[in-house]
Amino acid sequence: MQAGKPILYSYFRSSCSWRVRIALALKGIDYETVPINLIKDGGQQLAIIEYLEETRPTPRLLPQDPKKRASVRMISDLIAGGIQPLQNLSILKQVGEEIQLTWAQNAITSGFNALEQILQSTAGIYCVGDEVTMADLCLVPQVANAERFKVDLTLYPTISSISKRLLVLEAFQVSHPCRQPDTPTELRA
Amino acid sequence: MQAGKPILYSYFRSSCSWRVRIALALKGIDYETVPINLIKDGGQQLAIIEYLEETRPTPRLLPQDPKKRASVRMISDLIAGGIQPLQNLSILKQVGEEIQLTWAQNAITSGFNALEQILQSTAGIYCVGDEVTMADLCLVPQVANAERFKVDLTLYPTISSISKRLLVLEAFQVSHPCRQPDTPTELRA
């Protein structure tokens, strides 16, 4: 099926790219990064993750139980379809400089209000139970965006603590925006 | 697994509800509609469709081949994550009355420009090959939204002709916004 090393067209700061980088790291897939500066945002990267899951099933990013899988996808779609598209660069440009911070904060807080409640019934150590799933791949990059837009995360204790637990895992660290080939020197860590 | 008739919380005009109604009709699942007037938009309804696919696999809404499945999900996410969230009611309210038509048209045309190109390489009779897939469930409601916002569909011949072919199928007709329990009399057909 696979011919040669896969190429990821990636932008260090894009939360959509980061999700996929985490999946690649978790599944131990070696890949080449081609940095691109023009980002086509949207949820499309979930299709890549589902493809990786189907062609490289270990470790699982979706639980075996259909109801738990639905919870994982609901959380992923809430973030990738309900929050991220409303606060991406091209939309913020459209709404104009004066209101873009408020706009982004509104998009994130109204999504996080719903998400915090959902996680209270689905979460274990991570978003759904005690295994890392696709939902976690969506959560961490979105929390990083929330921090960038100065959203008060103390209002979301479940979201924050899951994100913190995930950020110590290797796959989330190697894929972090501060460690990408196209990360500017001043943002490296 | 299933206890009693499933309930769909639905709004006749919502493209997100319509997608799920088509899936339910295709899979021959009897359900109760509970109309709700306040719509929580976003891509969440794709989680319902994936759940239906896993628990009621016939007829398939995702092809067997992983690359074709990825195409189906890419198209679905482009619509459900890249277009619909930008032109839903709550966002249009936020951008204000003067610019909301232009805003919605921009969101749809920039998405359709990408989609028209993708479909030229994936489509057969329908979005991906010759079988109805989840991508088609996303396409038809989005084309209906495009018409509502007066987008010039002659610019998108592939999108238009696939949508027309789908609209004659029974599952797309019974699920149509003009035939729902909460459709106002003046919009019925």
Side-chain angles (χ1 to χ4, degrees), chain A residues 131-146:
Chain A
E131 305 292 334
V132 173
T133 66
M134 183 167 71
D136 300 301
L137 278 53
C138 295
L139 185 77
V140 166
Q142 185 58 59
V143 170
N145 281 345

mmCIF file of all heavy atoms in Angstrom, chain A residues 131-146:
data_model
loop_
_atom_site.group_PDB
_atom_site.id
_atom_site.type_symbol
_atom_site.label_atom_id
_atom_site.label_comp_id
_atom_site.label_asym_id
_atom_site.label_seq_id
_atom_site.Cartn_x
_atom_site.Cartn_y
_atom_site.Cartn_z
ATOM 1 N N GLU A 131 -7.396 5.728 27.662
ATOM 2 C CA GLU A 131 -6.452 5.573 26.552
ATOM 3 C C GLU A 131 -6.447 6.849 25.723
ATOM 4 O O GLU A 131 -7.463 7.533 25.617
ATOM 5 C CB GLU A 131 -6.877 4.404 25.644
ATOM 6 C CG GLU A 131 -7.075 3.070 26.344
ATOM 7 C CD GLU A 131 -5.763 2.484 26.871
ATOM 8 O OE1 GLU A 131 -4.701 2.816 26.306
ATOM 9 O OE2 GLU A 131 -5.810 1.717 27.859
ATOM 10 N N VAL A 132 -5.304 7.155 25.107
ATOM 11 C CA VAL A 132 -5.226 8.306 24.209
ATOM 12 C C VAL A 132 -6.037 8.006 22.948
ATOM 13 O O VAL A 132 -5.902 6.937 22.360
ATOM 14 C CB VAL A 132 -3.762 8.594 23.817
ATOM 15 C CG1 VAL A 132 -3.688 9.677 22.739
ATOM 16 C CG2 VAL A 132 -2.963 9.025 25.042
ATOM 17 N N THR A 133 -6.930 8.919 22.567
ATOM 18 C CA THR A 133 -7.740 8.739 21.357
ATOM 19 C C THR A 133 -7.636 9.974 20.461
ATOM 20 O O THR A 133 -7.052 10.985 20.847
ATOM 21 C CB THR A 133 -9.235 8.550 21.701
ATOM 22 O OG1 THR A 133 -9.725 9.776 22.279
ATOM 23 C CG2 THR A 133 -9.457 7.401 22.679
ATOM 24 N N MET A 134 -8.270 9.884 19.299
ATOM 25 C CA MET A 134 -8.333 11.003 18.361
ATOM 26 C C MET A 134 -8.829 12.280 19.034
ATOM 27 O O MET A 134 -8.397 13.383 18.679
ATOM 28 C CB MET A 134 -9.236 10.619 17.189
ATOM 29 C CG MET A 134 -9.330 11.668 16.098
ATOM 30 S SD MET A 134 -10.082 11.030 14.576
ATOM 31 C CE MET A 134 -11.802 10.843 15.074
ATOM 32 N N ALA A 135 -9.736 12.146 20.009
ATOM 33 C CA ALA A 135 -10.254 13.329 20.709
ATOM 34 C C ALA A 135 -9.126 14.085 21.404
ATOM 35 O O ALA A 135 -9.112 15.324 21.425
ATOM 36 C CB ALA A 135 -11.319 12.915 21.720
ATOM 37 N N ASP A 136 -8.166 13.346 21.965
ATOM 38 C CA ASP A 136 -7.039 13.985 22.640
ATOM 39 C C ASP A 136 -6.124 14.712 21.652
ATOM 40 O O ASP A 136 -5.553 15.752 21.964
ATOM 41 C CB ASP A 136 -6.243 12.930 23.419
ATOM 42 C CG ASP A 136 -7.095 12.241 24.476
ATOM 43 O OD1 ASP A 136 -7.611 12.953 25.350
ATOM 44 O OD2 ASP A 136 -7.280 11.011 24.398
ATOM 45 N N LEU A 137 -6.003 14.157 20.454
ATOM 46 C CA LEU A 137 -5.204 14.798 19.396
ATOM 47 C C LEU A 137 -5.805 16.144 19.009
ATOM 48 O O LEU A 137 -5.100 17.035 18.541
ATOM 49 C CB LEU A 137 -5.158 13.914 18.147
ATOM 50 C CG LEU A 137 -4.142 12.774 18.094
ATOM 51 C CD1 LEU A 137 -4.235 11.864 19.286
ATOM 52 C CD2 LEU A 137 -4.332 11.967 16.819
ATOM 53 N N CYS A 138 -7.139 16.243 19.150
ATOM 54 C CA CYS A 138 -7.813 17.507 18.833
ATOM 55 C C CYS A 138 -7.753 18.470 20.010
ATOM 56 O O CYS A 138 -7.643 19.682 19.844
ATOM 57 C CB CYS A 138 -9.271 17.245 18.460
ATOM 58 S SG CYS A 138 -9.431 16.277 16.950
ATOM 59 N N LEU A 139 -7.826 17.919 21.228
ATOM 60 C CA LEU A 139 -7.903 18.764 22.421
ATOM 61 C C LEU A 139 -6.659 19.630 22.634
ATOM 62 O O LEU A 139 -6.761 20.856 22.809
ATOM 63 C CB LEU A 139 -8.120 17.902 23.672
ATOM 64 C CG LEU A 139 -8.344 18.711 24.957
ATOM 65 C CD1 LEU A 139 -9.758 19.267 25.012
ATOM 66 C CD2 LEU A 139 -8.044 17.879 26.199
ATOM 67 N N VAL A 140 -5.490 18.993 22.629
ATOM 68 C CA VAL A 140 -4.268 19.723 23.005
ATOM 69 C C VAL A 140 -3.982 20.924 22.082
ATOM 70 O O VAL A 140 -3.745 22.034 22.576
ATOM 71 C CB VAL A 140 -3.071 18.743 23.090
ATOM 72 C CG1 VAL A 140 -1.744 19.494 23.141
ATOM 73 C CG2 VAL A 140 -3.214 17.857 24.329
ATOM 74 N N PRO A 141 -4.028 20.755 20.756
ATOM 75 C CA PRO A 141 -3.798 21.927 19.902
ATOM 76 C C PRO A 141 -4.847 23.028 20.108
ATOM 77 O O PRO A 141 -4.533 24.218 20.007
ATOM 78 C CB PRO A 141 -3.885 21.352 18.482
ATOM 79 C CG PRO A 141 -3.504 19.906 18.643
ATOM 80 C CD PRO A 141 -4.078 19.506 19.960
ATOM 81 N N GLN A 142 -6.088 22.639 20.430
ATOM 82 C CA GLN A 142 -7.112 23.661 20.646
ATOM 83 C C GLN A 142 -6.888 24.399 21.956
ATOM 84 O O GLN A 142 -7.123 25.609 22.033
ATOM 85 C CB GLN A 142 -8.506 23.032 20.599
ATOM 86 C CG GLN A 142 -9.635 24.050 20.685
ATOM 87 C CD GLN A 142 -9.566 25.084 19.577
ATOM 88 O OE1 GLN A 142 -9.603 24.772 18.395
ATOM 89 N NE2 GLN A 142 -9.415 26.364 19.941
ATOM 90 N N VAL A 143 -6.424 23.707 22.978
ATOM 91 C CA VAL A 143 -6.106 24.375 24.243
ATOM 92 C C VAL A 143 -4.939 25.353 24.036
ATOM 93 O O VAL A 143 -4.943 26.464 24.569
ATOM 94 C CB VAL A 143 -5.783 23.352 25.361
ATOM 95 C CG1 VAL A 143 -5.217 24.031 26.604
ATOM 96 C CG2 VAL A 143 -7.045 22.564 25.728
ATOM 97 N N ALA A 144 -3.973 24.951 23.212
ATOM 98 C CA ALA A 144 -2.861 25.871 22.906
ATOM 99 C C ALA A 144 -3.392 27.126 22.201
ATOM 100 O O ALA A 144 -2.969 28.249 22.504
ATOM 101 C CB ALA A 144 -1.815 25.169 22.043
ATOM 102 N N ASN A 145 -4.334 26.958 21.284
ATOM 103 C CA ASN A 145 -4.952 28.129 20.646
ATOM 104 C C ASN A 145 -5.676 28.997 21.678
ATOM 105 O O ASN A 145 -5.606 30.225 21.628
ATOM 106 C CB ASN A 145 -5.958 27.698 19.573
ATOM 107 C CG ASN A 145 -5.273 27.299 18.276
ATOM 108 O OD1 ASN A 145 -4.094 27.592 18.073
ATOM 109 N ND2 ASN A 145 -6.004 26.627 17.398
ATOM 110 N N ALA A 146 -6.379 28.356 22.594
ATOM 111 C CA ALA A 146 -7.099 29.104 23.635
ATOM 112 C C ALA A 146 -6.129 29.955 24.455
ATOM 113 O O ALA A 146 -6.405 31.115 24.773
ATOM 114 C CB ALA A 146 -7.852 28.140 24.550
#
